[in-house]
């Protein structure tokens, strides 16, 4: 489980909680627009050592079937994963929008 | 290929979709600690980067119970949460606080000292990015000597911050706290082990983790982890624990890497001259002489 993206809606005054409590893990916007570079996993080289998963400040890398997979909705393109990967399985390319 | 550290952590993410700068060391520390403590952690975040980036209604980025406290009141709110949940009959939870260096060493130190004095069963984690980064990089009590901030600018006469970093780890230890530790996000498995250990100890636990801030330190976003490693390797930070009245050193660099190289990589230290660097090296050597004398290492 992790916080997930909900449908974006406008909150009426009545819907905004009076107390400071609200549902945890409620996301309405992505962070993908922040990226100027895009990390790309070379699945042929990736050995699933999970170093990138461990060191990602945003937690956007998961290991699926022994390979790293990036959630591009929330990756900010900091590039830590590409530097931490000792076998060079993560490359970076310029982000085009 | 199994990663022994990753295997021990929860696969869930408890701090996700937050608005921290790319490459933020503080968010890495919070994420890693919550993956150790799990769903039943109740986290307290005072005014500071992590509350500013984690709670932007309706974007709420913690998936465990989390609350913003007053700037000065991280530890007192932890006390209240721990006592309140216990009074209601809960036992399977961890009250954990994440405060920055300013929220710990300056503004929150009285509440922290009180909590340690009462020996409340809480974990207090200070993510130290060495200045008030959230409000635009002002000097805190944990800003190191020579660092340029907006309140300690570097000019021809004064080269950034004039005062050394407060020794928060030993201040916490001086309370005879059950457990205190220093860590760095550059040595994440070590930090994770310390959070695990803290979660098993009863009483107040204090963990001080160095968490570089690319924005405030003047480094590239992808250098966060490397620089957090290098600060340990060059001897300007150390990995240690305090338990049962004894200091233990966890990691001893064989030879220190260059302090000058570490400093010159960062925008906040660019202005330092050779005399300043000599001062930094002398204070490091003095610190390590103290460590050699008073800390055990095995």
């Amino acid at each position: 489980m992790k916080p997930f993206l909900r449908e974006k809606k406008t909150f009426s005054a009545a819907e905004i909680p009076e107390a400071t409590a609200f549902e945890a893990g409620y996301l309405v916007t992505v962070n993908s627009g922040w990226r100027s570079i895009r990390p790309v996993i070379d699945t042929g080289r990736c050995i699933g050592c999970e170093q990138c998963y461990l060191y990602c400040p945003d937690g956007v890398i998961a290991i699926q079937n022994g390979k790293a997979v990036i959630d591009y909705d929330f990756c900010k393109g900091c590039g830590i994963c590409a530097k931490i990967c000792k076998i060079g399985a993560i490359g970076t390319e310029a982000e085009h929008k | 290929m199994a990663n022994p550290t990753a295997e021990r952590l929860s696969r869930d993410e408890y701090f996700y979709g937050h608005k921290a700068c790319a490459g933020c060391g503080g968010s890495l520390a919070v994420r890693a600690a919550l993956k150790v403590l799990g769903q039943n952690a109740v986290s307290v975040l005072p005014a500071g980067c992590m509350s500013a980036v984690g709670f932007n209604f309706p974007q709420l980025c913690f998936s465990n119970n989390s609350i913003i406290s007053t700037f000065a009141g991280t530890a007192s709110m932890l006390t209240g949460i721990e006592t309140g949940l216990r009074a209601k009959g809960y036992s399977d939870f961890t009250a954990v606080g994440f405060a920055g260096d300013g929220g710990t060493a300056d503004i929150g130190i009285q509440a922290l000292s009180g909590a340690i004095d009462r020996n409340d069963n809480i974990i207090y984690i200070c993510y130290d990015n060495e200045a008030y980064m959230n409000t635009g990089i002002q000097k805190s009590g944990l800003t190191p000597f020579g660092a340029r901030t907006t309140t300690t600018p570097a000019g021809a006469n004064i080269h950034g911050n004039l005062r050394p970093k407060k020794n928060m780890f030993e201040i916490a230890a001086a309370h005879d706290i059950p457990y205190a530790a220093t860590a760095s996000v550059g040595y994440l498995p070590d930090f994770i082990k310390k959070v695990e250990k803290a979660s098993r100890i009863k009483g107040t636990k204090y963990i001080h983790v160095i968490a570089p801030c690319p924005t405030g330190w003047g480094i590239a976003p992808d250098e966060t982890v490397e620089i957090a490693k290098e600060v340990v390797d060059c001897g300007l930070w150390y990995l240690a624990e305090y338990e049962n009245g004894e200091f233990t050193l966890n990691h001893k660099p064989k030879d220190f890497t260059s302090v000058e190289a570490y400093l010159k990589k960062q925008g906040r230290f660019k202005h330092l001259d050779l005399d300043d660097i000599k001062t930094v090296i002398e204070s490091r050597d003095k610190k390590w002489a103290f460590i050699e004398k008073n800390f055990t290492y095995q």
Side-chain angles (χ1 to χ4, degrees), chain B residues 206-272:
Chain B
Y206 174 80
I207 301 177
H208 191 122
V209 57
I210 288 284
C213 165
T215 314
W217 289 26
I219 53 171
D222 62 353
E223 287 171 350
T224 303
V225 171
E226 280 175 357
I227 210 93
K229 208 166 180 301
E230 197 172 344
V231 69
V232 176
D233 296 343
C234 77
L236 293 180
W237 189 245
Y238 54 96
L239 308 179
E241 286 173 302
Y242 174 85
E243 212 184 349
N244 306 322
E246 299 281 338
F247 287 104
T248 315
L249 187 67
N250 307 120
H251 173 79
K252 197 176 194 171
K254 235 182 225 144
D255 294 302
F256 291 130
T257 58
S258 162
V259 166
E260 187 174 356
Y262 165 76
L263 296 173
K264 289 296 178 188
K265 273 180 198 160
Q266 304 172 48
R268 60 175 180 158
F269 291 124
K270 275 269 162 15
H271 57 275
L272 294 187

Side-chain angles (χ1 to χ4, degrees), chain A residues 42-73:
Chain A
D42 180 345
T43 44
R45 283 177 134 173
C46 178
I47 53 164
C49 73
E50 306 192 85
Q51 281 294 95
C52 54
Y53 157 78
L54 210 55
Y55 279 93
C56 175
D58 291 86
V60 299
I61 303 178
I63 305 295
Q64 286 168 11
N65 303 323
K67 307 280 180 191
V69 180
I70 299 173
D71 177 356
Y72 286 109
D73 274 354

Side-chain angles (χ1 to χ4, degrees), chain A residues 1-5 9 11 15-17 20 22-31 34 47-61 63 66 71 74 76-80 83-84, chain B residues 1-3 5-7 9-24 27-28 31 35 39 57-65 185-189 192 221-226:
Chain A
M1 204 293 213
K2 64 185 180 191
F4 60 95
L5 205 56
K9 60 166 194 167
F11 288 82
E15 284 171 303
I16 294 174
T20 52
F22 197 70
E23 189 176 342
Y26 193 105
L27 306 181
V28 290
T29 56
V30 296
N31 296 335
W34 294 27
I47 53 164
C49 73
E50 306 192 85
Q51 281 294 95
C52 54
Y53 157 78
L54 210 55
Y55 279 93
C56 175
D58 291 86
V60 299
I61 303 178
I63 305 295
D71 177 356
F74 290 100
K76 293 169 185 157
C78 67
I80 287 176
K83 276 217 168 162
I84 207 87
Chain B
M1 196 180 127
N3 183 319
T5 306
E7 291 300 323
L9 298 177
S10 162
R11 290 281 159 187
D12 294 338
E13 296 293 339
Y14 298 102
F15 190 38
Y16 198 80
H18 54 75
K19 302 295 180 183
C21 307
C24 170
S27 63
L28 176 55
R31 170 183 173 245
K35 282 172 85 75
Q39 187 67 53
F57 182 82
Q59 179 100 350
L60 300 167
C61 306
F62 287 90
S63 52
N64 59 315
N65 277 311
V185 296
Y187 286 88
L188 210 54
I192 287 166
D222 62 353
E223 287 171 350
T224 303
V225 171
E226 280 175 357

